[in-house]
Amino acid sequence: MKKQSKNESFKNLSIKTSVAKRFRKFTKELGLRQSASLDLMLDFFETNRLSPTQHLGPNMKSLEHHLEKRINSSIAIVRAIESTQTKPTQAMLAALFESLPGKAKKKLPPSFEQALQNTLAHKPIIQQLPEAPPEKEDLKEILKNIELVKPTFGNPYLKVNMEYDELKSLKYKYHVYHD
């Protein structure tokens, strides 16, 4: 805020009575003079590059939604790395350490055994495609309940019509522990 000199002259503004009452109440709450309050308000809008007609609510919501999507995609990437790299490597190391004398052997899952045999034989790992899972019916049911929503403003989006309890049971069934 610029320093106001005592020699500065005053000008009258024509504003409605109700607005003048609100402004006077506001300046009393701030404990400033009316000129100083108005000057502070103008400085605030100019420094933050805001418009009084601009609403901040939806902008913050969209930013939050964008960040949530980025976090969820990061979680998916970490899980993919874990399932394709970390777990098979750990299983192979465990199998190598089990072959040392003095250790009791324990049975490895077939996929890890196959990976270990391929590694020991210097063959590339060939992944077999799994059979169609029984969860196919759950997926079909979810796809039936998807509808396209075209809002007046903004981009169209897909909406899943599903009870919360049903979603909760599917998350539990497929071991999804995040929201």
Side-chain angles (χ1 to χ4, degrees), residues 35-177:
S35 298
S37 310
L38 190 57
D39 198 28
L40 274 174
M41 289 169 41
L42 291 172
D43 286 344
F44 173 79
F45 285 120
E46 288 173 356
T47 56
N48 292 313
R49 295 185 181 149
L50 293 174
S51 167
T53 58
Q54 183 182 10
H55 184 66
L56 298 178
N59 293 338
M60 298 303 283
K61 292 276 188 197
S62 63
L63 178 63
E64 180 181 338
H65 181 69
H66 180 70
L67 286 175
E68 185 177 332
K69 286 173 71 176
R70 294 293 299 249
I71 290 170
N72 286 342
S73 65
S74 299
I75 290 171
I77 290 169
V78 169
R79 284 188 177 164
I81 289 172
E82 180 183 15
S83 65
T84 59
Q85 297 173 4
T86 308
K87 286 183 180 178
T89 304
Q90 181 186 14
M92 285 186 258
L93 287 174
L96 289 174
F97 284 119
E98 283 181 4
S99 65
L100 294 175
K103 297 280 184 177
K105 288 189 176 184
K106 63 179 180 181
K107 187 73 174 160
L108 290 174
S111 61
F112 294 136
E113 253 181 43
Q114 182 184 7
L116 179 62
Q117 290 172 357
N118 287 340
T119 304
L120 294 176
H122 301 290
K123 294 179 184 175
I125 297 175
I126 300 170
Q127 298 209 355
Q128 297 174 354
L129 295 175
E131 296 178 18
E135 297 84 19
K136 195 173 185 179
E137 295 303 317
D138 290 337
L139 182 60
K140 283 182 181 179
E141 188 64 33
I142 291 171
L143 290 174
K144 284 180 190 175
N145 292 328
I146 293 178
E147 73 177 58
L148 179 65
V149 177
K150 294 182 180 178
T152 307
F153 299 103
N155 295 331
Y157 59 92
L158 298 174
K159 176 180 163 186
V160 180
N161 293 324
M162 180 184 293
E163 294 293 326
Y164 181 72
D165 293 335
E166 187 179 348
L167 175 67
K168 205 172 178 181
S169 67
L170 283 174
K171 281 184 172 185
Y172 181 76
K173 182 177 180 181
Y174 296 110
H175 309 290
V176 177
Y177 299 111

